Amino acid sequence: MDPETVAAAQRGDALALDRLIDELAPYVRRLCARIAPAAADDAAQEALLEIFRGLPSLRAPEAIITWARSVTVRTAARLAHRDDREVASDGALVDRSAPSREGLVDIDDALARLPVPQRVVLVLRTHEGLSEQEIAAALGIPMGTVKSRLHRARAAFREVWEA
């Protein structure tokens, strides 16, 4: 991503902002789809709005991807938490994160069954290729927390996958 385009967008250049959103949107959507599969569209839209609103406060235009990733992850995780439990038509709560033996179609399906904090760190580590330090910085949590969540996430993923 071109830092000059980011700087122009920060100054209010509508064409630069349009180019920036066009470049960021696919990345934001992909990340939201992995973290908040049930609310991916809403999460992507909210994340892009947060990016748009916060763009003037970004101090280093060259850090746009890192900053946009943090905004997106926090937004998607918040919506995933909200949607982690949904109300069935009969009014009973259904825990969607609980593993079931029916229809594990792919990795994303297994990933969607993990608790949100575990899903987030696993996506950032395996799909985004972030180090444990980068994950800790992106989520604003201690490195030890990242390590323990990763350990639990890998074990839970294995359990869900093999069920």
Side-chain angles (χ1 to χ4, degrees):
M1 185 118 356
D2 180 28
E4 290 178 21
T5 301
V6 176
Q10 286 179 304
R11 290 190 303 271
D13 182 334
L15 291 174
L17 182 60
D18 192 45
R19 277 194 307 269
L20 182 65
I21 296 298
D22 283 346
E23 288 183 37
L24 285 174
Y27 175 70
V28 167
R29 283 188 194 104
R30 187 181 77 241
L31 200 50
C32 288
R34 298 225 190 261
I35 294 172
D41 291 337
D42 290 343
Q45 184 175 7
E46 284 194 33
L48 287 169
L49 281 171
E50 288 297 319
I51 291 167
F52 172 74
R53 287 184 193 125
L55 192 59
S57 67
L58 179 64
R59 292 185 184 153
E62 62 277 357
I64 184 72
I65 295 294
T66 303
W67 176 72
R69 179 188 309 123
S70 292
V71 170
T72 301
V73 167
R74 282 194 284 271
T75 302
R78 181 174 43 80
L79 290 177
H81 278 295
R82 181 193 74 193
D83 290 345
D84 219 14
R85 297 177 65 89
E86 65 184 18
V87 178
S89 59
D90 64 357
L93 285 177
V94 177
D95 187 356
R96 294 181 322 116
S97 63
S100 72
R101 294 189 180 264
E102 63 185 50
L104 268 185
V105 176
D106 60 13
I107 291 173
D108 288 335
D109 187 27
L111 194 57
R113 295 169 188 252
L114 297 181
V116 175
Q118 292 176 8
R119 185 182 327 145
V120 170
V121 296
L122 200 56
V123 165
L124 292 176
R125 183 71 172 143
T126 59
H127 293 292
E128 296 300 310
L130 298 183
S131 69
E132 291 168 350
Q133 287 178 326
E134 291 169 321
I135 295 169
L139 298 177
I141 59 177
M143 179 99 83
T145 303
V146 171
K147 289 180 180 187
S148 65
R149 283 185 188 172
L150 269 173
H151 176 74
R152 281 184 258 134
R154 288 177 178 138
F157 182 87
R158 221 177 349 265
E159 183 179 316
V160 167
W161 186 256
E162 293 171 354

